[in-house]
Amino acid sequence: MDIFLEALSTAMTPMAIASIGLGALIGLIFGSIPGLTFTVALALALPISFSMDAVPAIGLLLGTYIGGMTGGSVSAILLGIPGTPSAAATVLDGHPMTKQGNASIALGTAVITSVFGGIFSLVVMIVSVDLVSRVAISFGPAEIFALVLFGLSTICGLCGGSLIKGLISGALGLMIMTIGIDTIDGVQRMTFGSVNMLQGVNLLVAMIGLFAVPFIIEAFAVKSSTPEKSQRISRVKAELPSLRMLSKNLWLMIKCSVMGTGIGAIPGTGGAIASFLAYDHAKRFSKKPESFGKGNVEGVVAPETANNAVTGGTLIPLLSLGIPGDPATAIVLAGLMIHGITPGPALFMNHAGEVYSMYVSVVLAYLWVLGLQLMGIRLFVHVLKIPRELLAVGVLVLCAIGAYSIRNSVFDIYAMGAIGVMAYGLVSFRVPITPIILGMVLGPTLENEFRTAMMLSAGDPAIFYTSPTALIFFTLALLVIGLQALSELKARKPIKKEVEVSDA
Amino acid sequence: MTSSARDLALSVSLLAFAVIWTWLVIDTIRPGLGHGDIGPRAFPMVLGIILGGLSVLLFVRTLVLRRDETTAAGTGDVDAMDEDSTSRWGAMVLVAIEISAYGFLLQKIGFLIATPILILFVLVIHLRLRSWKTILGMTLGMTLGCWLFFEKLLGIYLANGSWFNIG
């Protein structure tokens, strides 16, 4: 209890509250602008957090994450363009509501249900993280290696349409992280004699390059134009839904929260899957399924509750096992590690206070989101009117500031540019870039734990297959990869059939 | 470019990269000492080999898919993104130049002079913007806004020039 009270006082300092609010504002703005996702916001917020203490810094990142997840609904409802993939399902009924003149109530409903989903998942997270950590505390190097390998297998869920390309992307991420001084033997690897390369490729520089630079290039290449839509939304505000409407949809909100939290806890899934499943569920069990897609408020309630419930769900494997489930939580993980907090089984033993502060920060972030959305919706509407290419100019300067401020080195700006251009090239070749981040985040642990395990067993690989826990994780990893390969083969079958028909 | 031609080009490029990477790793990093010492070479080498293997797999799969698609439809699918690929690649090259030039200028003349130069260049030359109100607002607003927020409010050090420095 003492630790909790101390954490509460740390999280309630003016600096911490302001950082969470700043994060929520940045997240809401970035999340509400199509193409400028909250992952970019997180990558840019990370360098700002350097100069802060651990709790305000984490609060800033969590605020950005939560604000971004909620902000996606603004453009989805007003413009019919989801600000984030998680808000894609909200477009289906949210935008028709705008066309019917019910934009204000759609926005208000989205905010309230988002907060409900988020707080619900937080409660589940608080219970689960400690339980999972207690189980995981007995893990040795072999088990951790197997666990990280399982974490890497979630690349399959992030690989888009092609498993091979996803694996290639993951391998590239792992390769990038081997550059620099080897942490076990102190040997230089692929540094080519450059002093700048001794520390390897900085994770933050890579994240800014991978997520923000492709956005800048795309915004400069394809200029935006949405003036007629801006006219329609210029007088909008967020209006709170009635208690009657909320109580009518309470059971739906609870079901979607459970769904979102569960899906979020599975690494490699994310808000988009949760929101579409929740939308489908709401439509299937609705009394008026035919009204879905035509402005049914349940079509806003279900996806918005579910995608925000994902936030708590994704933090369960992140905090208890150190496995990020999506690119956004990978950046949160990097932020935690920068401030000396290493998520994983020993988190509660070493940093119980910071973990409790995180719980308080999540609640505060949702309160900020609620206040900002209800009071400041007109600001976001104005932001939506700014052409994307002008926003990209601002992002370009912020990226350079972010990369430079990490080590006060211009080399990092060049590295960011090079990685960003490489990422854009890969995207052009339809190679997903999220697995690169997963490889970069988990790569060093994977290598170190494998080498430590082999040292402990004097080179005997039996250490891996005699541990039941390790075997479970290896099996799960194989299962995930196998299922993805199977689904790709199934997806290819229609082409085969077509060929046979043609031949006949 | 069809999607299969694009995948073939990607797989060949990645295979070449994997071969060069693996060769460099073997040539420059020492192996382990045995008896459980895996050594610093093992992981990068294995990863190079895995990347090579995946590239070959992508190459073979693309060839098989191309054969199937050609039999089914007569042609490969033309990539929709290909239509404006020139502007995309052009933007990519320009952004690379802008980032490099900005890095160089930050080091030489500092944040407060380099930033308006970059913003002016991007707005006027790259985006061909002609509204002087927007150009001036963006240039001065971004430079002073970032300087006040990062340097003065958050205490984050922004680059000072080595040629000359105005703060």
Side-chain angles (χ1 to χ4, degrees), chain A residues 37 39-40 43 206-215 327 331 423 433-434 437:
Chain A
T37 62
T39 312
V40 176
M207 283 183 177
I208 297 172
L210 284 170
F211 292 112
V213 176
F215 163 76
I331 299 175
I433 52 170
T434 308
I437 286 295

Side-chain angles (χ1 to χ4, degrees), chain A residues 16-101:
Chain A
I17 295 172
S19 328
I20 298 165
L22 177 68
L25 180 68
I26 295 172
L28 277 169
I29 292 173
F30 276 61
S32 63
I33 299 166
L36 194 60
T37 62
F38 60 91
T39 312
V40 176
L42 275 165
L44 294 175
L46 208 44
I48 301 174
S49 72
F50 286 171
S51 55
M52 297 175 174
D53 290 335
V55 174
I58 297 160
L60 176 78
L61 296 176
L62 287 174
T64 311
Y65 179 41
I66 289 163
M69 191 64 100
T70 317
S73 63
V74 177
S75 57
I77 290 168
L78 297 180
L79 300 179
I81 309 164
T84 56
S86 309
T90 312
V91 173
L92 301 172
D93 278 279
H95 193 54
M97 284 180 80
T98 301
K99 285 181 179 169
Q100 293 160 8

Side-chain angles (χ1 to χ4, degrees), chain A residues 165 189 218 400 410 430 492, chain B residues 7 40 65 79 88 102-103:
Chain A
K165 285 184 182 176
R189 299 194 292 193
E218 191 64 20
V410 176
R430 301 284 190 273
R492 244 177 60 68
Chain B
D7 284 355
L65 273 176
D79 196 336
R88 286 171 198 273
Y102 189 39

Side-chain angles (χ1 to χ4, degrees), chain A residues 208-271:
Chain A
I208 297 172
L210 284 170
F211 292 112
V213 176
F215 163 76
I216 297 166
I217 298 171
E218 191 64 20
F220 287 173
V222 186
K223 293 183 184 90
S224 59
S225 57
T226 51
E228 74 289 349
K229 283 187 173 177
S230 304
Q231 290 294 324
R232 193 192 298 153
I233 58 171
S234 56
R235 287 181 177 275
V236 85
K237 60 176 184 168
E239 194 179 303
L240 283 176
S242 66
L243 274 175
R244 191 169 156 269
M245 195 279 270
L246 283 177
S247 59
K248 201 176 133 196
N249 287 302
L250 186 64
W251 181 230
L252 177 66
M253 284 156 68
I254 292 171
K255 284 190 290 182
C256 293
S257 299
V258 173
M259 207 179 279
T261 312
I263 290 167
I266 304 166
T269 51

Side-chain angles (χ1 to χ4, degrees), chain B residues 42-76:
Chain B
F43 254 74
M45 189 178 74
V46 169
L47 288 169
I49 293 167
I50 289 174
L51 182 68
L54 287 169
S55 310
V56 172
L57 211 62
L58 180 66
F59 185 84
V60 172
R61 195 197 69 154
T62 311
L63 281 183
V64 172
L65 273 176
R66 184 146 90 158
R67 197 192 59 202
D68 290 354
E69 280 170 6
T70 312
T71 320
T75 55

Side-chain angles (χ1 to χ4, degrees), chain B residues 1-164:
Chain B
M1 192 188 271
T2 61
S3 60
S4 53
R6 193 184 56 211
D7 284 355
L8 286 177
L10 174 71
S11 55
V12 171
S13 314
L14 284 171
L15 183 62
F17 174 70
V19 169
I20 295 168
W21 170 277
T22 312
W23 174 71
L24 279 171
V25 165
I26 294 171
D27 196 46
T28 58
I29 307 172
R30 72 159 178 80
L33 305 169
H35 300 289
D37 179 28
I38 296 297
R41 181 203 278 183
F43 254 74
M45 189 178 74
V46 169
L47 288 169
I49 293 167
I50 289 174
L51 182 68
L54 287 169
S55 310
V56 172
L57 211 62
L58 180 66
F59 185 84
V60 172
R61 195 197 69 154
T62 311
L63 281 183
V64 172
L65 273 176
R66 184 146 90 158
R67 197 192 59 202
D68 290 354
E69 280 170 6
T70 312
T71 320
T75 55
D77 61 319
V78 177
D79 196 336
M81 199 175 155
D82 205 45
E83 288 166 12
D84 50 4
S85 62
T86 317
S87 68
R88 286 171 198 273
W89 292 110
M92 189 176 91
V93 172
L94 263 176
V95 168
I97 293 169
E98 283 155 8
I99 291 174
S100 309
Y102 189 39
F104 177 79
L105 288 174
L106 276 176
Q107 201 174 22
K108 299 297 177 194
I109 55 178
F111 179 82
L112 280 175
I113 303 178
T115 305
I117 293 175
L118 171 89
I119 298 175
L120 268 176
F121 177 84
V122 174
L123 293 178
V124 179
I125 311 287
H126 191 159
L127 297 176
R128 297 179 192 282
L129 209 71
R130 292 294 172 262
S131 159
W132 282 102
K133 253 173 31 183
T134 314
I135 292 169
L136 269 177
M138 276 288 291
T139 308
L140 296 176
M142 270 304 293
T143 309
L144 291 175
C146 287
W147 181 71
L148 286 172
F149 181 73
F150 288 101
E151 180 122 1
K152 295 296 162 196
L153 190 69
L154 294 178
I156 293 172
Y157 171 77
L158 299 175
N160 286 330
S162 58
W163 286 349
F164 55 90

